[in-house]
Structure formats: C-alpha cells, structure tokens
Amino acid sequence: MTHRHQRILEIVNKQSIADVGQLSDALGVSTVTIRSDLDALDKRLLLRRVRGGAMAMQAARFERPVDVPTHSFTSEKERIGAVAAGMVRSGETIILDAGTTTLAMAMALPKDIEDVVVITSSLDIAIALEKHPGATVFVTGGKLKKSGRNPNSRSLVPPFAGLLLDHLNADFAYLCCAGIDAERGFTNANLEEAEVKRFMISAARRCVMLADRGKIGHVAGARIAPIQDITTLVTDRKANPTDVSELQKSGLKVILA
C-alpha cells in the first residue's frame, strides 16, 4: 500500500466520511488521482466508495455513522421535508416513521391544514406536533430504541410496535431509509426499525420515501421493500441524473426537492 493510500484511509477512518475535494487538498494531488485511489481502495474493501467521496468500511448490518447524513445533508433534508409536508391534505391519515428527514417534514407541516391524523414511531415527531392545531397524534407503541449519538432518533421498535398498525388504513406512509438501489430496493441499517417500516407500508394505501442523494446506491443490511412497493421518492435536486433515471425506469416516481 502506498503512503498516499495510507493517508487517505487515516482521514476517512477518522472522519467516517470524506469528499474528493477535501482529500485532494489534504494530499496535494488532483481530484482525478484521488478518485482513482478511492476506486482502488474500494476494490480491496478498505473503504466504501460513495458519490463524491468515500466512507469508512463497515459491515452493512451496522448503522451508518449518525454524523454523516446529518452533517452533510442538513439543508437537503429540510427541503425534502418541506416538499413532503406540502403533499399532506386536510382530512388525511398519515404515517411518519422515525428519522431526521421525517422529523423535518413534521416541523414543516402547514399550520392551516385541519383534521390530520398522524401515526408515528418517533417520540421526537410526536413532541414536535404536540401543539400543531390541525394534527391528532398517535404513537405506535413498542420498545424504546436507544438513540445512541443521535438526540433526534428516539423511536419505538418491536415487540408490540405493529399492534396499532395492524388496525390502520392510512392514506400515506412517509418513511426514511439508509439505502436505495434499483435492484436491491430500499434498505435500512437497523433490523428492528426495518420491521416497523414494513408494518407501515402494509398499513398505508401509498408510500413515499424521503431520502437525500447520499442514500442512493447504498445497500444496508435490512431490507425494507422492493422498488415496486413504494409510490414516490422525494430526494434532493443534486441527485445524480443517471441514478434518478435508473430508479424511474424501475417504476418509481422521483421528485427532486
């Protein structure tokens, strides 16, 4: 292994994620060289290549570092959440799962909508909507999942998380995920949360997935659903057009926020 490869691994492993421009500046070489280095290290399974950079290698069954999506895509999540919030109509029953993007959606829910029933597995979303004048909020129940390093990830998971959902016929479910792949479908890092998401899909007439571009092309360890089971994906406008086209060819409607 070259000294440059060692330095790249040191930076990526220390930060969990690094982009091509940052590595180029740190090592004093061109972005073309860095991309070639990342491809070589990815083939050796020493890091995980993602669009625009690389992530530290880890088994897919483990959750991605919390600071990666929240730090890198905060504004994108807010835009995605705002677009999704604008899709909600008065009188609907909707399901929101636990995630930073669905929390952004809840916080952007228009104050003038009325008689909306919200079922959520997120304690943070329930609290955020507590004073919304037009929302009636139900929580799914279940075991409280430890939030780890993410203070906005207090979710309810099995056992008992599906009991309420078994009795619902919601209009829409709005969900988050950790990975989107045209062949492998929608995936998540946490097995318990993936189970709750499957309950939610079954309880809704239509399902909308909310995910920034960093999730596209990634496959996590727990499968949520195939592409065909999800009606719409709302992602950010910087998503790679080739990736978007591939998902659309699979029958998925894609909205760019």
Side-chain angles (χ1 to χ4, degrees):
M1 182 185 300
T2 67
H3 176 70
R4 190 172 66 245
H5 284 184
Q6 290 177 331
R7 285 286 296 125
I8 289 172
L9 289 175
E10 289 172 4
I11 294 171
V12 172
N13 289 331
K14 181 178 180 180
Q15 300 180 181
S16 296
I17 190 168
D19 61 45
V20 170
Q22 176 192 2
L23 292 170
S24 174
D25 292 341
L27 277 71
V29 296
S30 70
T31 56
V32 173
T33 298
I34 291 296
R35 290 190 180 93
S36 176
D37 290 339
L38 295 180
D39 289 340
L41 292 169
D42 179 81
K43 289 180 180 178
R44 296 176 61 185
L45 301 181
L46 296 174
L47 52 71
R48 184 185 298 277
R49 190 77 162 89
V50 297
R51 298 199 178 279
M55 292 178 61
M57 176 58 73
Q58 56 187 352
R61 67 180 181 275
F62 297 125
E63 296 193 49
R64 296 170 71 183
V66 169
D67 55 335
V68 172
T70 55
H71 173 74
S72 301
F73 299 104
T74 300
S75 61
E76 287 88 346
K77 288 173 183 291
E78 291 176 352
R79 291 199 305 270
I80 292 168
V83 168
M87 298 168 64
V88 180
R89 298 292 178 262
S90 294
E92 289 185 337
T93 296
I94 65 172
I95 299 172
L96 301 180
D97 77 338
T100 51
T101 313
T102 44
L103 177 58
M105 175 185 171
M107 296 177 69
L109 205 63
K111 300 300 182 186
D112 60 349
I113 63 171
E114 300 175 344
D115 192 29
V116 171
V117 175
V118 179
I119 297 95
T120 183
S121 59
S122 166
L123 297 184
D124 302 285
I125 288 175
I127 293 170
L129 292 176
E130 178 187 8
K131 296 183 179 180
H132 191 290
T136 300
V137 182
F138 294 86
V139 293
T140 58
K143 179 182 71 175
L144 178 62
K145 174 180 173 287
K146 296 183 185 300
S147 60
R149 291 181 294 164
N150 189 346
N152 296 319
S153 184
R154 288 164 287 200
S155 63
L156 298 169
V157 295
F160 311 123
L163 294 181
L164 173 62
L165 294 168
D166 279 341
H167 298 278
L168 290 178
N169 288 304
D171 295 293
F172 283 90
Y174 296 88
L175 310 181
C176 296
C177 64
I180 306 169
D181 181 83
E183 294 184 0
R184 305 292 292 276
F186 296 90
T187 53
N188 199 58
N190 184 278
L191 293 170
E192 292 178 314
E193 289 189 337
E195 183 176 343
V196 175
K197 294 174 194 290
R198 290 193 292 271
F199 280 127
M200 291 176 166
I201 292 170
S202 297
R205 292 192 296 116
R206 287 165 288 185
C207 184
V208 179
M209 197 68 71
L210 313 180
D212 59 70
R213 66 184 183 278
K215 311 297 174 54
I216 300 175
H218 179 73
V219 178
R223 191 177 190 192
I224 300 170
I227 293 292
Q228 293 75 18
D229 284 5
I230 306 301
T231 307
T232 304
L233 167 67
V234 183
T235 189
D236 63 270
R237 64 175 71 104
K238 294 182 181 178
N240 186 288
T242 301
D243 292 336
V244 171
S245 178
E246 185 177 2
L247 293 171
Q248 290 173 324
K249 289 177 182 177
S250 299
L252 183 67
K253 179 181 179 181
V254 181
I255 297 175
L256 302 179

